[in-house]
Amino acid sequence: MAIDKKFTSSKPPADSLAQEHHIDRHDNPHRHLCLRPGLAAKPIIDIMLGLPALNNIAPYIPALKSAGFHLQPQMAAAMPDRHDFAKPAAHPRAVQLHAVALDSGFWRDKLAFRDALRADGQLAEQYADLKRQLAQNHSDGRAAYTDAKSAFIAAVLAAAAGKPHDKPLSR
């Protein structure tokens, strides 16, 4: 499945949200996490909001709530490096927002992975093929689907950092 055209506008949803609710994005370089035209993607917009510090979320919550986002506190135990929000609160979700510290490993890794996919069409196609295969194999388990992508993502990040990695980039 290719990315729906409504998700590829010239103005990313995070920009619109920030402008509409007067959220300072700190000239945030994040634009459409893994967006590469034609890359297979789930029909959910993933947004990453960079915070000066992870514990600096409080000023953003009113604007996020007024924009229809719901804090997902149950995610904090499993993923303490971010605050997760969803829109709408119930499944199926249209938007997921991850608020993370700008200097965090999570922030750097997501941008490095996005940049690697944008720079290498063959790599992006390998990732798209993997996602299609995993979507079929794990259609009822989002956690299993996500876990199954981790070796590929780790290999891409290791290659981007110039480090050897014991996992091949193939499916």
Side-chain angles (χ1 to χ4, degrees):
M1 112 183 33
I3 294 175
D4 189 307
K5 290 192 187 301
K6 70 182 172 188
F7 300 136
T8 61
S9 69
S10 61
K11 189 168 190 175
D15 285 347
S16 297
L17 177 69
Q19 184 177 26
E20 182 180 339
H21 296 283
H22 309 289
I23 296 172
D24 180 5
R25 293 197 57 220
H26 305 283
D27 294 322
N28 192 335
H30 178 66
R31 301 280 193 272
H32 301 295
L33 183 56
C34 290
L35 182 58
R36 179 183 172 88
L39 181 64
K42 58 189 175 187
I44 299 172
I45 298 172
D46 273 313
I47 299 172
M48 189 165 63
L49 174 66
L51 302 171
L54 188 60
N55 63 358
N56 192 23
I57 189 67
Y60 298 85
I61 291 177
L64 290 167
K65 282 184 177 181
S66 72
F69 285 95
H70 301 271
L71 181 61
Q72 304 293 300
Q74 73 279 11
M75 304 297 281
M79 296 174 274
D81 57 346
R82 63 184 182 249
H83 299 288
D84 287 296
F85 295 82
K87 182 179 182 177
H91 293 281
R93 300 216 167 102
V95 183
Q96 296 177 155
L97 184 140
H98 312 284
V100 303
L102 285 168
D103 64 350
S104 68
F106 184 89
W107 176 266
R108 287 188 302 275
D109 286 351
K110 295 300 181 192
L111 293 181
F113 186 69
R114 178 206 62 189
D115 293 347
L117 293 180
R118 285 181 173 179
D120 184 338
Q122 186 175 10
L123 181 65
E125 191 54 42
Q126 283 182 304
Y127 185 56
D129 290 345
L130 175 65
K131 287 171 53 170
R132 281 189 282 272
Q133 177 188 359
L134 295 176
Q136 288 178 344
N137 296 346
H138 303 288
S139 61
D140 60 346
R142 187 177 64 98
Y145 168 83
T146 300
D147 289 345
K149 295 188 304 181
S150 64
F152 182 93
I153 294 168
V156 170
L157 291 174
K163 298 177 185 171
H165 195 275
D166 64 346
K167 305 257 190 229
L169 290 180
S170 63
R171 302 175 272 238

